[in-house]
Amino acid sequence: MKQKIEILAPAGSYEGMKAAINAGCDAVYIGGSSFGARAYANNLDEEILLRAIDETHIRGKNLYLTVNTLVKEQEMIDQLHQFLDKFYLQGLDAVIVQDVGVMHFIHRHFPLLPIHASTQTTITMAQGANLLTELGVTRLVTARELSLTEIKLISEQTDLEIETFVHGALCYCYSGQCLMSSLIGGRSGNRGRCAQPCRMAYEFYSGDKKISAPEQKYLLSPKDICTVEMIPEMVEAGINSFKIEGRMKRPEYAAAVSSVYRKYLDLYTEVGKEGFKKFIKDEKNEYIQDITMLQDIYNRGGFSGGYLKTHNSKNMMSLYRPNHSGVYIGDVSEVKGSQVVITLREGINAQDILEIRNSEESGYEFTVKDAIKAGNKLRTNVGHAKITVGLKVYRTKNNLLLDHLEEQYGKTDKKLPVEAVLIAKVDAPLTLTLRYQGCEVTATHEIVQMAMKQPMTEEKLSSQISKTGDTMYYMKNLTIEADQNIFVPVAWLNEVRREALLQLSDAVAGKYHRSVENPVKSMNEKDTFTNTLQDNRTISDKDSLMDMDKKTHRVYQDMKPRELPGICVCVQTQEQFQVALKFPEVTAIYADEFIPAPEVLLTMAKQAKQADKGFYVVLPHILRETGTNLLQKHKLPLLDDNINGYVIKNFEEISFLTSLLEEKGIQKEIILNHNLYLFNREAKDFYRGLGINHFTAPVELNYKELKRLQITDCDMIVYGYLPVMVSAQCLFESTGGCNRCEGRDNRNSYLTDRFRKKFLIKTNCTSCYNTIYNSDRLSLLKQADEILSMHPYQIRLDFTVEQQEEMHGVLEAYIERFLYGRTTKFEMEEYTTGHFKRGVE
């Protein structure tokens, strides 16, 4: 193996960073005081983060800063540059970014700063990844749902470094596509404040039939992943960085996981794939002990291998318990009144926490007083708890392990080897020269004198100068050049050593510091940001757009504000399509889920044209190999003259359509869906550079924020059940078994939560993903005046399960209110105004 593989550890705090580095990671990713996707971690303030950047460099490691939230327009103007500037000058190694507007901004203002595209970008193919290279992206954090085969293809078809999550928690939803926490609780995952509703209890129904079993409560809670055994395959797939999840976990977690992956990656590097497999087979007990240690530190229902070798599976889900499962250590063998005897299959330690489980979810918890070896019996008093023989006992806190990890990696820093030369000669200054990481520094002190009484021996010089104390260094090779009869006070040696070590740290860290003379545009030029309609990268005039459209084969649309917006309707059934046709006020119809039925699609397109309505095809939420093959199969119907364009939901579709339209020399309009987020105008500039000028307003911004963003070039969704999750998992597969959609009621499958709210489930079996919709439909009918004041290009109504009569009533009410200004008696139950008033933090 020639390539060096990076172990990338989470650091939710300064202590977590040091523990992970001491345990052997090559780099850490960490959040600052703003813009990070873990707002509730112990993120570092400016002073500590600057110190952390220097320390990681001195230790020969890298530090990546998470700037992986969506950034609002005003934050971009007021805060982002100021937040990044000092870290950039300090030598920050890279930023991890979700928002393409942030990428666009950073690449212009900090051109020397590498950008890592976050897994929140939901990149699934090389075609999507390559769109980001012009923004300074040097590394892709792959979507967690990708297989080793898919990752290898990306590695082979891009010049980007590949970073992949190899251990820790999985989200149920494709990262970056989840609005569940945002819409039902007001805490946005896209803003680092996810409340993890996926770890709550749900029931699953199809029609009137309950599909999930009573004990299967946590239907959206995946197991944590552990991929130690797959290290050879991951290296062969071209993964450059093994990323460990867990910035919200304690430092001991980062240390434990880093140490295990360090051990087995080094093993693979030394002995190769066959030697690696042989070790795991021959040293099975040692391997099991290491995995058990990882389970002891944290797991949910055991581990799975994630998606690397499996598209989806019930075995990937922790259906019975959403939090730490612990390690199985024994069974209840006797019960006498309140006294319980537990036969131990694993040793336990004083202050361990054990749980006797009468179900997967709950049980009787107690703390162990004394250590007991495996094979022996533990007797404990459980009071009035109902305990029966045969119940399993789990350890949820291994106290000895935590103490060991804290002592080895938390309290004890790895020392760095320094070469040193001490010169102590009569009538010459005392000097100490240190060498480390290609840096050499020399500290000098007073003139050395002849000794009058007790001369300083070479042994004393060596002993004293080697006392590096709590610094990061130790004297590995110490050379002493000293006269025989010299007087050197111990205080001098301490002072010259202290000064030399300070100089050395400054010199090593200084190698990474950037100069203000670097080509970074000054933020003092406020007009760059306050004049937000234009900047040096914005294409704002019609001629420039037309020139771009000739190259990219787009249709230029005059996006000037209208007195009244157009009305576009998104439909998922032919019956809904027929309702939309009847309204002359409807200007465009977006047809969703019809690509697998090209004959139906072409008929609808023809009818829409005859009714003088634009007709647009909505492409899949996720595009991977199967979906790409489907688009390739039906590319000719997609190019039909009656089809005006497409609504796209991912980067892969941009690439696919760009290539297809250019190849055929055909002009079609591309409309960006709301899940390709536009929180700021920098994001608009990026997409305009790709020839896309028609957007959909984000659903997480409030009225004031939308007004500041300016949405005259946007559709604005004013009605519909919004998707809150898109998942590679299948609820049918993880509960009753997958039958490839046979016999499913795709209009009446749903989850219910603890409040009996219903969340519609739709299956896309062609591309194999599930979409979960919000329990309450969005309705902004009463906010018409405010919306009209922003002059959106079109208002958009999304229909999913509505029958014809209901859809007719909804559409009629919106047309009356938005186009004719007339009040309506139309009322609907259980609706939400989303974030239009409140927004997200």
Side-chain angles (χ1 to χ4, degrees), residues 93-361:
D93 294 290
V95 283
I96 304 172
V97 181
Q98 171 190 7
D99 189 328
V100 293
V102 174
M103 295 180 193
H104 190 263
F105 177 96
I106 290 174
H107 189 49
R108 287 197 294 119
H109 296 280
F110 302 95
L112 302 181
L113 183 58
I115 298 172
H116 297 175
S118 167
T119 189
Q120 295 277 114
T121 57
T122 328
I123 298 291
T124 58
M125 299 178 72
Q127 291 82 348
N130 286 329
L131 293 177
L132 302 180
T133 55
E134 69 175 60
L135 294 178
V137 172
T138 60
R139 176 183 291 191
L140 171 67
V141 188
T142 57
R144 289 177 170 95
E145 291 77 8
L146 299 189
S147 68
L148 286 170
T149 301
E150 290 172 302
I151 293 171
K152 187 173 184 179
L153 280 174
I154 295 175
S155 175
E156 292 171 347
Q157 295 172 10
T158 75
D159 294 326
L160 298 173
E161 295 176 349
I162 302 300
E163 178 179 309
T164 297
F165 281 95
V166 300
H167 193 96
L170 280 179
C171 294
Y172 188 79
C173 180
Y174 278 90
S175 294
Q177 301 303 308
C178 186
L179 296 175
M180 195 167 196
S181 176
S182 174
L183 289 176
I184 69 175
R187 288 171 52 178
S188 172
N190 286 320
R191 299 278 292 172
R193 291 171 169 81
C194 179
Q196 294 195 316
C198 52
R199 306 297 180 187
M200 304 300 288
Y202 298 91
E203 295 177 340
F204 179 44
Y205 294 83
S206 184
D208 295 327
K209 181 181 178 183
K210 183 178 177 182
I211 305 297
S212 56
E215 66 274 11
Q216 295 175 331
K217 295 182 180 180
Y218 301 99
L219 302 178
L220 308 182
S221 179
K223 295 178 180 177
D224 286 9
I225 60 170
C226 176
T227 63
V228 173
E229 197 170 357
M230 287 187 265
I231 283 176
E233 290 88 346
M234 292 192 297
V235 174
E236 290 173 353
I239 298 172
N240 307 105
S241 179
F242 290 179
K243 187 170 193 173
I244 300 163
E245 180 277 337
R247 280 198 291 138
M248 294 293 289
K249 297 187 175 75
R250 59 197 303 166
E252 292 86 351
Y253 171 89
V257 181
S258 295
S259 69
V260 171
Y261 280 84
R262 175 84 280 153
K263 171 182 175 178
Y264 284 92
L265 180 58
D266 288 350
L267 172 67
Y268 169 71
T269 303
E270 181 181 348
V271 302
K273 183 176 182 178
E274 295 306 317
F276 182 92
K277 298 292 185 184
K278 186 175 186 299
F279 176 88
I280 289 180
K281 181 180 178 181
D282 294 348
E283 306 297 333
K284 184 177 180 180
N285 289 339
E286 181 178 346
Y287 173 73
I288 291 175
Q289 186 177 16
D290 289 334
I291 299 303
T292 300
M293 189 261 282
L294 293 178
Q295 290 181 320
D296 246 325
I297 203 73
Y298 202 89
N299 79 90
R300 285 186 178 90
F303 290 134
S304 81
Y307 293 95
L308 294 179
K309 293 184 178 180
T310 306
H311 182 81
N312 56 39
S313 169
K314 180 178 181 178
N315 292 330
M316 292 174 64
M317 301 302 298
S318 181
L319 299 173
Y320 309 102
R321 186 183 177 97
N323 51 11
H324 181 38
S325 296
V327 172
Y328 170 46
I329 57 93
D331 303 274
V332 175
S333 53
E334 296 179 41
V335 177
K336 294 182 179 179
S338 62
Q339 295 294 312
V340 169
V341 177
I342 299 168
T343 301
L344 299 173
R345 62 193 299 272
E346 300 283 346
I348 57 175
N349 318 295
Q351 300 305 305
D352 280 0
I353 294 178
L354 304 185
E355 186 179 284
I356 304 172
R357 289 199 188 142
N358 47 32
S359 71
E360 286 284 345
E361 185 180 358

Side-chain angles (χ1 to χ4, degrees), residues 646-707:
Y646 319 93
V647 180
I648 59 163
K649 299 181 179 180
N650 52 67
F651 291 102
E652 287 71 29
E653 288 165 357
I654 297 175
S655 178
F656 175 84
L657 290 172
T658 299
S659 299
L660 179 62
L661 295 174
E662 188 169 357
E663 174 191 341
K664 300 298 183 182
I666 296 175
Q667 295 184 342
K668 301 282 186 183
E669 185 182 18
I670 292 179
I671 303 172
L672 212 67
N673 195 53
H674 70 89
N675 68 299
L676 285 169
Y677 304 106
L678 292 173
F679 267 47
N680 50 73
R681 297 185 200 175
E682 293 273 353
K684 286 187 180 182
D685 289 347
F686 165 71
Y687 288 114
R688 286 187 183 117
L690 299 175
I692 299 172
N693 310 295
H694 188 166
F695 313 109
T696 305
V699 299
E700 290 190 285
L701 296 185
N702 63 29
Y703 165 66
K704 290 182 179 179
E705 291 161 346
L706 289 169
K707 194 170 185 177

Side-chain angles (χ1 to χ4, degrees), residues 558-569 584-588 590 694 711-718 780 783-797 811 814-821:
D558 184 0
M559 306 300 283
K560 293 179 180 178
R562 300 165 164 175
E563 286 188 20
L564 292 173
I567 293 186
C568 60
V569 175
E585 294 89 350
V586 171
T587 51
Y590 298 170
H694 188 166
I711 61 170
T712 57
D713 48 6
C714 295
D715 296 346
M716 180 167 178
I717 301 175
V718 295
L780 297 177
Q783 287 71 39
D785 290 339
E786 292 168 291
I787 292 169
L788 290 171
S789 73
M790 295 187 289
H791 303 289
Y793 186 67
Q794 297 182 126
I795 62 166
R796 173 173 144 185
L797 292 86
L811 195 48
Y814 274 83
I815 290 171
E816 285 289 306
R817 185 67 187 87
F818 276 86
L819 294 190
Y820 303 118

